[in-house]
C-alpha cells in the first residue's frame, strides 16, 4: 500500500488494549469486539475521510432514517492467521461487490473500494493480535452501512455512515440442527430485497424462526413465496442437498442470497469430481428421496459456520430423520474449504488474499 493511501485514513489509537480480559477459548459468537473500529461518513454526495478510532458507542439523532425506514446493509467475512502469522482474507472482492449491490438495491450510495478494502486491511492490521492462530479461530469482520440523515420523511437519506467492526470467533459445536420447511412464511419474494444483505431480511425471519424454535426446530428452510414448493435457503445460510452422490443447490435469484461459501463449495466439489447440480429441489422430491433412502445429507452453507449439517426436517407435521453417514460429504467439503482458508492446503483457485 502506498504512503498516500495510508495518509488518507485518520487513525486514532486506543490508549490501551482490552485483549488481556478476553477468554479466547470461550467466545460466544459476535459479542466481543476488538479495540478499534472504522467509520466513514457520506454527505453532500461524497465520502469523507475514513476514521479508525477506539471501539465505542456512536451518537445518533433519533430521527435518523435507519431507525424508521430500515436502510441498513451489512457483510460477514472472516480473517484467518496461518502458521507463519500471516493474515488472510477469503474472496474479499466478492463481499465488496455484493455490498455495493446491496447498497444499490436499498437506494444507498456505493462505498469506494479504497474505503472498504483498504479500510479492512488497515483496521485488521491495527488489531492483528486479535486474530488467533489455529484452525477454528478467526476474526469475524462486519462491514455495514446505515442511513444517518435526519428527518422522518419516507425517502432515502442523503447521509450515511459506513462502518467496520471486528469480533474474534471460534468455531464451536452448534448441536444437532433440525429444520422446519416453511409452508406459509417467506424470507423473500420476487421483486423484493432477498438477494441483498439487508438488515430487514433478518428481522423478517426472526418471528417465523422463533415459532420453529418453539416446536423444537433450530432453523426454517425457506421455500419460494409464490408456491412454497421450491427449497431455497436454510435460515440465514444457503442450502445443499445430497441425493445419492449428487449435490443440489438452488440457483441464485431475487429471493436467494448469492453466498460466497455456496459458490466456493460448488467449485470445490466440482474440482473433487463430485456431481453438482445447480437447480431448485422441490419439496416433493425431498420427501420422495427421504422415503426411498436416497436423501443422504442436507447442510447449510455460510461464512459463520462454513457448513452446518442438518440431521432431519419436518414438513406438514411429519419429521424425517436423515441417515447417519460414516463419511459425510458435508464435513469433507468443510475440511477442504477451511484448509484453503487457513493456508493448510494449496489455494488452486486464488481465493485467499494476504493482508
Ligand atoms: C450471508 C447470507 C448467506 C451466506 O453468504 P456467505 O457469503 O456464504 O456468508 C446465505 N443466505 C443469506 C440469507 C445470507 O444473509
Amino acid at each position: 500500500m502506498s504512503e498516500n493511501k495510508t495518509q488518507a485514513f485518520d487513525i486514532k489509537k486506543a490508549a490501551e488494549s482490552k485483549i488481556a480480559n478476553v477468554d479466547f477459548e470461550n467466545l460466544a459468537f459476535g459479542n466481543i469486539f476488538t479495540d478499534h473500529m472504522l467509520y466513514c461518513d457520506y454527505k453532500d454526495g461524497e465520502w469523507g475521510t475514513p476514521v479508525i478510532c477506539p471501539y465505542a458507542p456512536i451518537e445518533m439523532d433519533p430521527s435518523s432514517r435507519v431507525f424508521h425506514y430500515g436502510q441498513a446493509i451489512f457483510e460477514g467475512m472472516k480473517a484467518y492467521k496461518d502458521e507463519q502469522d500471516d493474515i488472510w482474507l477469503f474472496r474479499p472482492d466478492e463481499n465488496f461487490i455484493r455490498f455495493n449491490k446491496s447498497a444499490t438495491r436499498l437506494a444507498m450510495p456505493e462505498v469506494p473500494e479504497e474505503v472498504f478494502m483498504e479500510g479492512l486491511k488497515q483496521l485488521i492490521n491495527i488489531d492483528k493480535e486479535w486474530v488467533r492462530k489455529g484452525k477454528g479461530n478467526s476474526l469475524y469482520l462486519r462491514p455495514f452501512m446505515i442511513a444517518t440523515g435526519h428527518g422522518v420523511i419516507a425517502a432515502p437519506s442523503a447521509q450515511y455512515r459506513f462502518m467496520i467492526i471486528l469480533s474474534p470467533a471460534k468455531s464451536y459445536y452448534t448441536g444437532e440442527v433440525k429444520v422446519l420447511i416453511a409452508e406459509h412464511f417467506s424470507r423473500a419474494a420476487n421483486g423484493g430485497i432477498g438477494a441483498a444483505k439487508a438488515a430487514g431480511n433478518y428481522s423478517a425471519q426472526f418471528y417465523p424462526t422463533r415459532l420453529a424454535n418453539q416446536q423444537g426446530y433450530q432453523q426454517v428452510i425457506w421455500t419460494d413465496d409464490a408456491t412454497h414448493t421450491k427449497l431455497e435457503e436454510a435460515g440465514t445460510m444457503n442450502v445443499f442437498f445430497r441425493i445419492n452422490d449428487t449435490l443440489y443447490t438452488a440457483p441464485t435469484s431475487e429471493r436467494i442470497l448469492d453466498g460466497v461459501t455456496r459458490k466456493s463449495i460448488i467449485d470445490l466439489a466440482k474440482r473433487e469430481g463430485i456431481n453438482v447440480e445447480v437447480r431448485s429441489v422441490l419439496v416433493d422430491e425431498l420427501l420422495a428421496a427421504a422415503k426411498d433412502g436416497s436423501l443422504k445429507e442436507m447442510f447449510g452453507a455460510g461464512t459463520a459456520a462454513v457448513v452446518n449439517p442438518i440431521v432431519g426436517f419436518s414438513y406438514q407435521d411429519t419429521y424425517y430423520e436423515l441417515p447417519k453417514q460414516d463419511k459425510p460429504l458435508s464435513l469433507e467439503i468443510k475440511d477442504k474449504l477451511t484448509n484453503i482458508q487457513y493456508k493448510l492446503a494449496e489455494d488452486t483457485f486464488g481465493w485467499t488474499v494476504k493482508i
Side-chain angles (χ1 to χ4, degrees):
M1 104 190 80
S2 74
E3 274 300 305
N4 287 344
K5 282 185 177 173
T6 310
Q7 282 163 2
F9 282 69
D10 178 2
I11 298 173
K12 303 178 183 100
K13 290 231 181 130
E16 56 185 74
S17 176
K18 303 173 289 195
I19 200 164
N21 306 326
V22 176
D23 178 1
F24 280 87
E25 291 309 307
N26 296 294
L27 292 166
F29 180 76
N31 65 1
I32 288 178
F33 295 91
T34 63
D35 293 322
H36 298 88
M37 63 183 193
L38 176 145
Y39 69 85
C40 187
D41 288 328
Y42 177 91
K43 106 182 203 206
D44 300 329
E46 56 188 12
W47 289 96
T49 303
V51 179
I52 292 176
C53 64
Y55 187 95
I58 56 175
E59 194 164 274
M60 289 177 67
D61 191 282
S63 75
S64 299
R65 298 286 162 89
V66 63
F67 298 138
H68 305 274
Y69 306 118
Q71 273 184 297
I73 58 167
F74 67 95
E75 271 304 321
M77 316 164 66
K78 280 178 173 175
Y80 311 87
K81 193 174 262 180
D82 69 13
E83 288 307 311
Q84 285 72 47
D85 281 333
D86 286 326
I87 298 174
W88 299 84
L89 299 179
F90 185 72
R91 310 187 76 175
D93 44 325
E94 294 285 345
N95 297 91
F96 169 65
I97 291 167
R98 188 170 72 189
F99 191 78
N100 278 341
K101 278 190 188 158
S102 301
T104 301
R105 181 61 185 83
L106 278 275
M108 302 168 95
E110 290 193 357
V111 172
E113 184 166 1
E114 159 79 4
V115 175
F116 189 98
M117 290 294 190
E118 202 54 37
L120 273 173
K121 290 181 183 177
Q122 295 213 23
L123 184 62
I124 295 166
N125 249 324
I126 288 179
D127 282 337
K128 61 177 179 285
E129 296 307 318
W130 292 78
V131 200
R132 293 293 159 122
K133 266 202 286 229
K135 211 170 166 184
N137 295 327
S138 65
L139 187 64
Y140 183 78
L141 321 173
R142 171 52 65 91
F144 64 103
M145 176 163 46
I146 52 173
T148 49
H150 299 179
V152 293
I153 308 125
S157 174
Q159 290 173 25
Y160 295 88
R161 174 166 285 197
F162 170 70
M163 296 190 75
I164 306 174
I165 54 176
L166 312 174
S167 176
K170 202 168 173 62
S171 70
Y172 56 99
Y173 181 61
T174 44
E176 295 205 325
V177 177
K178 295 178 184 169
V179 296
L180 182 67
I181 295 179
E183 292 170 54
H184 170 69
F185 291 106
S186 303
R187 73 167 281 281
N190 279 337
I193 61 169
K197 224 165 164 68
N201 288 330
Y202 280 64
S203 47
Q205 66 185 55
F206 286 160
Y207 176 67
T209 305
R210 175 188 284 166
L211 295 180
N213 294 160
Q214 286 165 352
Q215 296 178 58
Y217 302 98
Q218 284 69 43
Q219 282 300 346
V220 174
I221 297 268
W222 304 105
T223 48
D224 68 292
D225 62 298
T227 66
H228 295 289
T229 57
K230 294 177 191 157
L231 300 160
E232 307 217 305
E233 294 212 55
T236 59
M237 304 178 101
N238 294 114
V239 66
F240 283 81
F241 305 91
R242 175 184 160 204
I243 299 176
N244 289 319
D245 283 321
T246 300
L247 274 183
Y248 295 87
T249 191
T252 53
S253 71
E254 281 187 301
R255 302 180 305 271
I256 297 181
L257 204 284
D258 185 5
V260 179
T261 316
R262 172 188 171 280
K263 67 173 90 173
S264 305
I265 287 175
I266 293 171
D267 290 349
L268 194 65
K270 283 184 178 164
R271 188 192 71 182
E272 297 300 309
I274 296 162
N275 202 19
V276 185
E277 279 192 36
V278 178
R279 69 154 174 91
S280 296
V281 173
L282 303 176
V283 175
D284 283 348
E285 273 182 276
L286 188 75
L287 297 178
K291 284 175 190 155
D292 72 18
S294 57
L295 177 65
K296 308 291 185 196
E297 294 178 61
M298 289 169 63
F299 58 93
T303 296
V306 187
V307 159
N308 212 354
I310 293 166
V311 299
F313 68 89
S314 178
Y315 182 67
Q316 289 182 342
D317 298 326
T318 305
Y319 180 69
Y320 301 81
E321 180 98 21
L322 269 65
K324 294 243 177 334
Q325 303 294 321
D326 288 340
K327 282 191 183 160
L329 199 54
S330 60
L331 295 188
E332 186 188 318
I333 288 171
K334 177 177 181 173
D335 206 46
K336 292 228 155 78
L337 190 56
T338 50
N339 280 348
I340 293 174
Q341 292 169 332
Y342 286 90
K343 306 302 284 182
L344 297 169
E346 197 195 338
D347 173 15
T348 57
F349 297 100
W351 285 338
T352 51
V353 176
K354 195 169 166 176
I355 288 203

